[in-house]
Amino acid sequence: MNTNEIYTRSEPASVVGGRSAGSGMYDVVHEDAEHRPYANQAGAVACEVGYNFAYLDEQTKRMIRRGLLKAVAVPGYQVPFGGREMPLPYGWGTGGMQLTAAILGADDVLKVIDQGADDTTNAVSIRRFFARTAGVKTTTRTPEATVIQTRHRIPETPLTNDQIMVYQVPIPEPLRFIEPSETETRTMHALEDYGVMHVKLYEDIATFGHIATSYAYPVTVDERYVMDPSPIPKFDNPKLHMSPALMLFGAGREKRLYAVPPFTRVVSLDFDDHPFAIQSWDECCAFCGSRESYLDELIIDDAGSKRFVCSDTDYCMQRRDAEEEGAQ
Amino acid sequence: MSAANNSQWLQAAFNDPVLDAQTSFRSALKALAEPGLAQPLNRALALGNLHPATYALCLAFLDGDTPLWLAPCFDTPAIRANLSFHCGCPVVAEREEALFALLDEAGADDLSAFDNGSERYPDQSCTLLIQLDTLTGGEQLRWRGPGIKDVRAVELPLRPRFWQQRQARSAFPRGLDAFFAAGEQVIGLPRSTHVLLNAEEAA
Amino acid sequence: MYVAVKGGERAIDNAHLLQAKLRRGDTRIPELSVDQVREQMPLAVARVMSEGSLYDPQLAALAIKQAAGDLMEAIFLLRAYRTTLPRFTASTPLDTTQMQLSRRISATFKDLPGGQLLGPTFDYSHRLLDFALLAEGEHPGPQVNPDAELSDCPRVLEFLAEENLMAREVDDGVAVPDITREPLDFPASRAQRLQALARGDEGFLLALGYSTQRGYGRNHPFAGEIRIGELEIWLEPEELGFAVPLGDIEVTECEMVNQFVGGKGIDAQFTRGYGLAFGYAERKAMGMALVDRSLRAAEYAEELEGPAQQEEFVLMHCDNVEAAGFVSHLKLPHYVDFQSELELIRKLRKQEREQPAAEEQRA
């Protein structure tokens, strides 16, 4: 037994001091066997007192990490994982957060965006969470970030090979709205039977003259799996194709994760007579004048007048800064 | 088998169990995401005949939920004692039950019976941790697939038998994923990588 | 003009302060203590412990206080705490025949060994607001017979099993999966189903159970036995080799007797639905037992005719932390996706207007 004093066990307790006070003796009853007879006290670099580095315990991180390896090995396939409850509600990015927590290291620089912006409330909340629990450096600058957690956008600034994108995913199954049963959709993926998806898109064309999917637009990854790219606008779909960055997708409530490795073929579904096309605007950004970026529409007066501005706030800011510098 | 009886074999694991595990995992992730590119893996010391990179992979991946199959040369009291103590992973005798397999070059010649997943759950497959003396110097083969921009020349010192075995166990999405470790480096080979053998190249 | 949705950090801080004020209410009224919640709202505490999957009355009471009485929020708080706890071991299976009963009723037999024990219940109270509670005071306390002794209370359904009228549930020795560690897969095992239902929302299970009574997958239930009481928890650490008691928890157990299966050369037998919840939680345990039985439809080759029999539908939607999260996420900004919908609908309308015109020109 005294080996425990000599050797530190590999796994730090996720609960280090100060947590069990006030909780009764029953805490352990419904917890399951980890088959680790010795408790351990290894000191983790915990920034929030009492919580492990990046919040999740090491056992959970390992489980997610093993899932991520399989996700990378089978691009576009949804790996079931034992998603944990996070201290944020399901639907608010718990899947993305668990992935970020599992990959994040002390040297990482984290950027969090929601709707393309760094300062939307949910992005602020998640960025704060990791600043508190992992003590990592955060940034709003896309090129400075090593890990970018996002909801609904891919940055306009091209990504690099040293970056990892983490997407928050509400419904990971692209076939779900056509076939609600998981048993059925899993069979469809196994058999590479995606006929229903093409039928659905074609029905759109018959009804509206267009494919009526404008976000969460399904893609085929490396000519095998049909994948939901998360609710990014289809404007962002081409950025997935042969991207130098690793793309990780996490759905917390649905307990699925999947991945697109760097330099992987990602093709949006379409038809020869109705080729895939991205959104375009007649207007340019009212701040930076960009005609290449995805625009948010603002209603600016009671008469319903509109202005359009970049959804990617960092991209917009950099363009304005560059312009100012040029002017000086 | 109590820990006390095995204490004579015990060695230190990661210096910093949290951050070293994270760093090692990220190297492994990058290795698998960019097949054929060697990544550094230097957060552990050697353990018996396990190189630092191999031991680091074990410490980063294994725990009570991961049955491990050991090639005979790695089935030593020291390796068993340390993996049991630091990881808590069960060592299994049947290949079919293993989620991870620790192999040497000779072991890599026989991939039979390792679980290569199912059509419905291709993720439920065994991951091979293969230790080699070095990651270069073998016949140069061309790798293609996700994670490789065009084509990548890799010269792992493996016998043709490994490639035949890998081919035999592959029916995408089913297949075996492998990490090759030597010294303080690792190379990943996911099932999604197409390896052009020289015969194919000529064809 | 662009700041309406920005400046999130300060807004979040202030929202927390406003919420704290809302929770505390009028500060001239003394603050509610966690002990008061624990002792005086035991049924709320029970629900939060059950659906929060953590037996800890003190923390459940804290969660209720912190959540300003919003039980789903309290359940969520407890779940989020639970997920960070280390897992030491699993207890040995609970033996509910060993319960120190505070209540035990059977609707299937008028009398039986151990007898009917009414215990505390709202069942026969007239639902009249008790204005006496407006004033504070001590309750008179129940009449106690100090010599009373509780005799053995064997399980009601066991008598049916003895006669072979009810199939026994046997331990198949298969390792019990843990749905909080491995995601559900379908078809789910009964162990997975019962775990999901035990964490499931009381209201959802109640409504589904009710729907079976009204004919959407009817299964003819009788409340075979409901028992509530304290139960000892035992652990058997590997290095000890024998079990040691850890303490008592209160649970509610319900076993439903449902209509039979058999025929065609097989003796008819009743079937069983099972419910278990932490604390005094009768409605939850009954709803769970009804739905458990419904979900055994495939096992008994019954036709699936109601939502309560559809395993994926029930298990994927019974968790209120998941459901509340996903519904509430609609409050998050979605303007990027909405913008793409706007762009699309305008394009469709424009095309609709231009196309007929173009066709007319051609004609």
Side-chain angles (χ1 to χ4, degrees), chain C residues 166-169 190 193 219 258-262 269-273 292-303:
Chain C
M166 167 75 76
R168 279 211 168 83
E169 306 289 334
R190 182 136 183 259
R193 290 202 308 251
N219 53 35
N258 301 76
Q259 210 175 43
F260 12 87
V261 291
Q269 270 190 328
F270 287 117
T271 58
R272 182 191 317 240
D292 170 49
R293 174 58 189 83
S294 288
L295 293 179
R296 303 181 79 175
E299 186 184 328
Y300 298 129
E302 293 167 338
E303 207 176 316

mmCIF file of all heavy atoms in Angstrom, chain C residues 166-169 190 193 219 258-262 269-273 292-303:
data_model
loop_
_atom_site.group_PDB
_atom_site.id
_atom_site.type_symbol
_atom_site.label_atom_id
_atom_site.label_comp_id
_atom_site.label_asym_id
_atom_site.label_seq_id
_atom_site.Cartn_x
_atom_site.Cartn_y
_atom_site.Cartn_z
ATOM 1 N N MET C 166 -46.434 -14.920 -12.526
ATOM 2 C CA MET C 166 -45.648 -13.736 -12.922
ATOM 3 C C MET C 166 -44.217 -14.210 -13.163
ATOM 4 O O MET C 166 -43.683 -14.959 -12.341
ATOM 5 C CB MET C 166 -45.686 -12.704 -11.781
ATOM 6 C CG MET C 166 -44.692 -11.565 -11.870
ATOM 7 S SD MET C 166 -45.152 -10.341 -13.097
ATOM 8 C CE MET C 166 -46.466 -9.475 -12.222
ATOM 9 N N ALA C 167 -43.644 -13.791 -14.281
ATOM 10 C CA ALA C 167 -42.261 -14.192 -14.549
ATOM 11 C C ALA C 167 -41.339 -13.517 -13.545
ATOM 12 O O ALA C 167 -41.528 -12.346 -13.213
ATOM 13 C CB ALA C 167 -41.869 -13.805 -15.971
ATOM 14 N N ARG C 168 -40.357 -14.279 -13.041
ATOM 15 C CA ARG C 168 -39.362 -13.677 -12.145
ATOM 16 C C ARG C 168 -38.365 -12.893 -12.978
ATOM 17 O O ARG C 168 -38.017 -13.286 -14.082
ATOM 18 C CB ARG C 168 -38.608 -14.770 -11.394
ATOM 19 C CG ARG C 168 -39.352 -15.303 -10.197
ATOM 20 C CD ARG C 168 -38.357 -15.753 -9.115
ATOM 21 N NE ARG C 168 -39.068 -15.999 -7.871
ATOM 22 C CZ ARG C 168 -39.703 -17.151 -7.614
ATOM 23 N NH1 ARG C 168 -39.697 -18.122 -8.497
ATOM 24 N NH2 ARG C 168 -40.345 -17.314 -6.468
ATOM 25 N N GLU C 169 -37.909 -11.782 -12.422
ATOM 26 C CA GLU C 169 -36.821 -11.046 -13.077
ATOM 27 C C GLU C 169 -35.532 -11.669 -12.579
ATOM 28 O O GLU C 169 -35.288 -11.718 -11.374
ATOM 29 C CB GLU C 169 -36.857 -9.562 -12.698
ATOM 30 C CG GLU C 169 -38.192 -8.876 -12.952
ATOM 31 C CD GLU C 169 -38.510 -8.678 -14.429
ATOM 32 O OE1 GLU C 169 -37.571 -8.602 -15.232
ATOM 33 O OE2 GLU C 169 -39.709 -8.624 -14.764
ATOM 34 N N ARG C 190 -32.771 -3.383 -21.023
ATOM 35 C CA ARG C 190 -33.723 -2.940 -19.993
ATOM 36 C C ARG C 190 -32.993 -2.112 -18.954
ATOM 37 O O ARG C 190 -33.534 -1.122 -18.436
ATOM 38 C CB ARG C 190 -34.407 -4.152 -19.353
ATOM 39 C CG ARG C 190 -35.451 -3.758 -18.319
ATOM 40 C CD ARG C 190 -36.714 -4.565 -18.462
ATOM 41 N NE ARG C 190 -37.737 -4.138 -17.530
ATOM 42 C CZ ARG C 190 -38.024 -4.773 -16.393
ATOM 43 N NH1 ARG C 190 -37.355 -5.859 -16.069
ATOM 44 N NH2 ARG C 190 -38.975 -4.314 -15.608
ATOM 45 N N ARG C 193 -32.745 1.292 -20.237
ATOM 46 C CA ARG C 193 -34.053 1.939 -20.233
ATOM 47 C C ARG C 193 -34.421 2.410 -18.835
ATOM 48 O O ARG C 193 -34.871 3.539 -18.638
ATOM 49 C CB ARG C 193 -35.130 0.962 -20.730
ATOM 50 C CG ARG C 193 -35.039 0.643 -22.198
ATOM 51 C CD ARG C 193 -36.373 0.150 -22.727
ATOM 52 N NE ARG C 193 -36.947 -0.927 -21.974
ATOM 53 C CZ ARG C 193 -37.048 -2.191 -22.399
ATOM 54 N NH1 ARG C 193 -36.591 -2.519 -23.587
ATOM 55 N NH2 ARG C 193 -37.612 -3.110 -21.669
ATOM 56 N N ASN C 219 -51.919 -1.300 -21.380
ATOM 57 C CA ASN C 219 -51.297 -2.501 -20.819
ATOM 58 C C ASN C 219 -51.932 -2.934 -19.494
ATOM 59 O O ASN C 219 -51.343 -3.683 -18.735
ATOM 60 C CB ASN C 219 -49.785 -2.325 -20.697
ATOM 61 C CG ASN C 219 -49.413 -1.056 -19.939
ATOM 62 O OD1 ASN C 219 -50.108 -0.661 -19.009
ATOM 63 N ND2 ASN C 219 -48.328 -0.422 -20.336
ATOM 64 N N ASN C 258 -49.268 -6.140 -14.826
ATOM 65 C CA ASN C 258 -49.948 -5.828 -16.081
ATOM 66 C C ASN C 258 -50.481 -7.092 -16.735
ATOM 67 O O ASN C 258 -50.110 -8.195 -16.359
ATOM 68 C CB ASN C 258 -48.984 -5.116 -17.026
ATOM 69 C CG ASN C 258 -48.442 -3.842 -16.429
ATOM 70 O OD1 ASN C 258 -47.567 -3.893 -15.573
ATOM 71 N ND2 ASN C 258 -48.965 -2.726 -16.847
ATOM 72 N N GLN C 259 -51.333 -6.861 -17.744
ATOM 73 C CA GLN C 259 -52.015 -8.014 -18.317
ATOM 74 C C GLN C 259 -51.043 -8.968 -18.984
ATOM 75 O O GLN C 259 -49.908 -8.623 -19.280
ATOM 76 C CB GLN C 259 -53.101 -7.585 -19.283
ATOM 77 C CG GLN C 259 -54.236 -8.601 -19.293
ATOM 78 C CD GLN C 259 -55.379 -8.134 -20.158
ATOM 79 O OE1 GLN C 259 -55.185 -7.623 -21.256
ATOM 80 N NE2 GLN C 259 -56.598 -8.314 -19.674
ATOM 81 N N PHE C 260 -51.605 -10.160 -19.222
ATOM 82 C CA PHE C 260 -50.759 -11.319 -19.448
ATOM 83 C C PHE C 260 -50.246 -11.471 -20.866
ATOM 84 O O PHE C 260 -50.733 -10.873 -21.808
ATOM 85 C CB PHE C 260 -51.493 -12.604 -19.051
ATOM 86 C CG PHE C 260 -52.953 -12.410 -18.817
ATOM 87 C CD1 PHE C 260 -53.863 -12.478 -19.851
ATOM 88 C CD2 PHE C 260 -53.407 -12.096 -17.526
ATOM 89 C CE1 PHE C 260 -55.205 -12.277 -19.613
ATOM 90 C CE2 PHE C 260 -54.764 -11.908 -17.300
ATOM 91 C CZ PHE C 260 -55.666 -11.998 -18.336
ATOM 92 N N VAL C 261 -49.252 -12.317 -20.911
ATOM 93 C CA VAL C 261 -48.756 -12.820 -22.181
ATOM 94 C C VAL C 261 -48.915 -14.330 -22.129
ATOM 95 O O VAL C 261 -49.146 -14.904 -21.071
ATOM 96 C CB VAL C 261 -47.273 -12.462 -22.386
ATOM 97 C CG1 VAL C 261 -47.126 -10.984 -22.588
ATOM 98 C CG2 VAL C 261 -46.425 -12.929 -21.215
ATOM 99 N N GLY C 262 -48.760 -14.983 -23.232
ATOM 100 C CA GLY C 262 -48.865 -16.436 -23.271
ATOM 101 C C GLY C 262 -49.850 -16.856 -24.334
ATOM 102 O O GLY C 262 -50.050 -16.143 -25.334
ATOM 103 N N GLN C 269 -49.132 -15.600 -18.303
ATOM 104 C CA GLN C 269 -48.477 -15.005 -17.134
ATOM 105 C C GLN C 269 -48.717 -13.509 -17.140
ATOM 106 O O GLN C 269 -48.757 -12.884 -18.203
ATOM 107 C CB GLN C 269 -46.960 -15.236 -17.208
ATOM 108 C CG GLN C 269 -46.495 -16.510 -16.553
ATOM 109 C CD GLN C 269 -44.980 -16.554 -16.449
ATOM 110 O OE1 GLN C 269 -44.275 -16.029 -17.298
ATOM 111 N NE2 GLN C 269 -44.488 -17.180 -15.395
ATOM 112 N N PHE C 270 -48.830 -12.949 -15.916
ATOM 113 C CA PHE C 270 -48.848 -11.497 -15.811
ATOM 114 C C PHE C 270 -47.488 -10.942 -16.221
ATOM 115 O O PHE C 270 -46.486 -11.655 -16.233
ATOM 116 C CB PHE C 270 -49.126 -11.063 -14.368
ATOM 117 C CG PHE C 270 -50.547 -11.266 -13.926
ATOM 118 C CD1 PHE C 270 -50.846 -12.144 -12.893
ATOM 119 C CD2 PHE C 270 -51.592 -10.569 -14.537
ATOM 120 C CE1 PHE C 270 -52.158 -12.338 -12.474
ATOM 121 C CE2 PHE C 270 -52.906 -10.747 -14.112
ATOM 122 C CZ PHE C 270 -53.186 -11.641 -13.086
ATOM 123 N N THR C 271 -47.466 -9.656 -16.523
ATOM 124 C CA THR C 271 -46.190 -8.999 -16.819
ATOM 125 C C THR C 271 -45.987 -7.888 -15.803
ATOM 126 O O THR C 271 -46.895 -7.526 -15.055
ATOM 127 C CB THR C 271 -46.199 -8.421 -18.238
ATOM 128 O OG1 THR C 271 -47.284 -7.503 -18.346
ATOM 129 C CG2 THR C 271 -46.344 -9.529 -19.263
ATOM 130 N N ARG C 272 -44.776 -7.331 -15.813
ATOM 131 C CA ARG C 272 -44.385 -6.442 -14.742
ATOM 132 C C ARG C 272 -43.823 -5.132 -15.305
ATOM 133 O O ARG C 272 -43.105 -5.131 -16.292
ATOM 134 C CB ARG C 272 -43.295 -7.133 -13.932
ATOM 135 C CG ARG C 272 -42.781 -6.369 -12.736
ATOM 136 C CD ARG C 272 -41.516 -7.005 -12.163
ATOM 137 N NE ARG C 272 -41.542 -8.450 -12.060
ATOM 138 C CZ ARG C 272 -41.418 -9.142 -10.918
ATOM 139 N NH1 ARG C 272 -41.281 -8.523 -9.785
ATOM 140 N NH2 ARG C 272 -41.401 -10.455 -10.933
ATOM 141 N N GLY C 273 -44.153 -4.028 -14.627
ATOM 142 C CA GLY C 273 -43.502 -2.759 -14.910
ATOM 143 C C GLY C 273 -42.870 -2.279 -13.626
ATOM 144 O O GLY C 273 -43.442 -2.438 -12.543
ATOM 145 N N ASP C 292 -42.085 1.769 -18.207
ATOM 146 C CA ASP C 292 -41.205 0.592 -18.321
ATOM 147 C C ASP C 292 -41.963 -0.560 -18.963
ATOM 148 O O ASP C 292 -41.478 -1.213 -19.886
ATOM 149 C CB ASP C 292 -40.677 0.176 -16.947
ATOM 150 C CG ASP C 292 -39.963 -1.175 -16.994
ATOM 151 O OD1 ASP C 292 -39.103 -1.352 -17.892
ATOM 152 O OD2 ASP C 292 -40.246 -2.045 -16.156
ATOM 153 N N ARG C 293 -43.183 -0.811 -18.481
ATOM 154 C CA ARG C 293 -43.978 -1.900 -19.041
ATOM 155 C C ARG C 293 -44.301 -1.648 -20.512
ATOM 156 O O ARG C 293 -44.232 -2.559 -21.339
ATOM 157 C CB ARG C 293 -45.266 -2.079 -18.227
ATOM 158 C CG ARG C 293 -46.237 -3.093 -18.806
ATOM 159 C CD ARG C 293 -45.617 -4.485 -18.959
ATOM 160 N NE ARG C 293 -46.505 -5.385 -19.708
ATOM 161 C CZ ARG C 293 -46.582 -5.440 -21.031
ATOM 162 N NH1 ARG C 293 -45.799 -4.678 -21.771
ATOM 163 N NH2 ARG C 293 -47.408 -6.261 -21.629
ATOM 164 N N SER C 294 -44.628 -0.416 -20.841
ATOM 165 C CA SER C 294 -44.926 -0.086 -22.234
ATOM 166 C C SER C 294 -43.747 -0.387 -23.146
ATOM 167 O O SER C 294 -43.906 -0.877 -24.255
ATOM 168 C CB SER C 294 -45.253 1.403 -22.379
ATOM 169 O OG SER C 294 -46.493 1.665 -21.830
ATOM 170 N N LEU C 295 -42.559 -0.077 -22.637
ATOM 171 C CA LEU C 295 -41.367 -0.254 -23.467
ATOM 172 C C LEU C 295 -40.973 -1.720 -23.614
ATOM 173 O O LEU C 295 -40.059 -2.040 -24.363
ATOM 174 C CB LEU C 295 -40.195 0.553 -22.886
ATOM 175 C CG LEU C 295 -40.367 2.068 -22.950
ATOM 176 C CD1 LEU C 295 -39.168 2.768 -22.318
ATOM 177 C CD2 LEU C 295 -40.548 2.527 -24.384
ATOM 178 N N ARG C 296 -41.678 -2.596 -22.880
ATOM 179 C CA ARG C 296 -41.389 -4.024 -23.051
ATOM 180 C C ARG C 296 -42.257 -4.622 -24.163
ATOM 181 O O ARG C 296 -42.304 -5.837 -24.339
ATOM 182 C CB ARG C 296 -41.612 -4.763 -21.730
ATOM 183 C CG ARG C 296 -40.775 -4.186 -20.599
ATOM 184 C CD ARG C 296 -40.957 -4.927 -19.294
ATOM 185 N NE ARG C 296 -40.178 -6.159 -19.273
ATOM 186 C CZ ARG C 296 -40.078 -6.947 -18.199
ATOM 187 N NH1 ARG C 296 -40.717 -6.635 -17.086
ATOM 188 N NH2 ARG C 296 -39.345 -8.030 -18.244
ATOM 189 N N ALA C 297 -42.931 -3.752 -24.905
ATOM 190 C CA ALA C 297 -43.850 -4.228 -25.951
ATOM 191 C C ALA C 297 -43.146 -5.170 -26.931
ATOM 192 O O ALA C 297 -43.677 -6.230 -27.270
ATOM 193 C CB ALA C 297 -44.439 -3.031 -26.697
ATOM 194 N N ALA C 298 -41.952 -4.790 -27.347
ATOM 195 C CA ALA C 298 -41.237 -5.614 -28.335
ATOM 196 C C ALA C 298 -40.921 -6.985 -27.737
ATOM 197 O O ALA C 298 -41.098 -8.017 -28.382
ATOM 198 C CB ALA C 298 -39.964 -4.915 -28.775
ATOM 199 N N GLU C 299 -40.495 -6.983 -26.466
ATOM 200 C CA GLU C 299 -40.166 -8.225 -25.763
ATOM 201 C C GLU C 299 -41.358 -9.190 -25.779
ATOM 202 O O GLU C 299 -41.183 -10.406 -25.891
ATOM 203 C CB GLU C 299 -39.797 -7.825 -24.328
ATOM 204 C CG GLU C 299 -39.280 -8.883 -23.417
ATOM 205 C CD GLU C 299 -39.057 -8.306 -22.014
ATOM 206 O OE1 GLU C 299 -38.708 -7.096 -21.871
ATOM 207 O OE2 GLU C 299 -39.262 -9.052 -21.069
ATOM 208 N N TYR C 300 -42.572 -8.657 -25.659
ATOM 209 C CA TYR C 300 -43.766 -9.493 -25.623
ATOM 210 C C TYR C 300 -44.467 -9.541 -26.983
ATOM 211 O O TYR C 300 -45.627 -9.943 -27.069
ATOM 212 C CB TYR C 300 -44.739 -8.974 -24.553
ATOM 213 C CG TYR C 300 -44.172 -9.014 -23.157
ATOM 214 C CD1 TYR C 300 -44.212 -7.898 -22.330
ATOM 215 C CD2 TYR C 300 -43.557 -10.177 -22.680
ATOM 216 C CE1 TYR C 300 -43.678 -7.932 -21.047
ATOM 217 C CE2 TYR C 300 -43.016 -10.215 -21.407
ATOM 218 C CZ TYR C 300 -43.079 -9.095 -20.592
ATOM 219 O OH TYR C 300 -42.550 -9.145 -19.343
ATOM 220 N N ALA C 301 -43.771 -9.114 -28.024
ATOM 221 C CA ALA C 301 -44.307 -9.147 -29.391
ATOM 222 C C ALA C 301 -45.665 -8.463 -29.487
ATOM 223 O O ALA C 301 -46.582 -8.939 -30.165
ATOM 224 C CB ALA C 301 -44.393 -10.593 -29.886
ATOM 225 N N GLU C 302 -45.800 -7.330 -28.800
ATOM 226 C CA GLU C 302 -47.050 -6.570 -28.877
ATOM 227 C C GLU C 302 -46.949 -5.562 -30.019
ATOM 228 O O GLU C 302 -45.866 -5.098 -30.351
ATOM 229 C CB GLU C 302 -47.301 -5.829 -27.552
ATOM 230 C CG GLU C 302 -47.569 -6.769 -26.390
ATOM 231 C CD GLU C 302 -47.500 -6.076 -25.035
ATOM 232 O OE1 GLU C 302 -46.860 -5.016 -24.917
ATOM 233 O OE2 GLU C 302 -48.071 -6.614 -24.089
ATOM 234 N N GLU C 303 -48.107 -5.227 -30.549
ATOM 235 C CA GLU C 303 -48.128 -4.235 -31.611
ATOM 236 C C GLU C 303 -47.807 -2.854 -31.030
ATOM 237 O O GLU C 303 -48.307 -2.508 -29.961
ATOM 238 C CB GLU C 303 -49.519 -4.213 -32.230
ATOM 239 C CG GLU C 303 -49.525 -3.749 -33.665
ATOM 240 C CD GLU C 303 -50.929 -3.841 -34.250
ATOM 241 O OE1 GLU C 303 -51.594 -4.876 -34.017
ATOM 242 O OE2 GLU C 303 -51.339 -2.870 -34.902
#
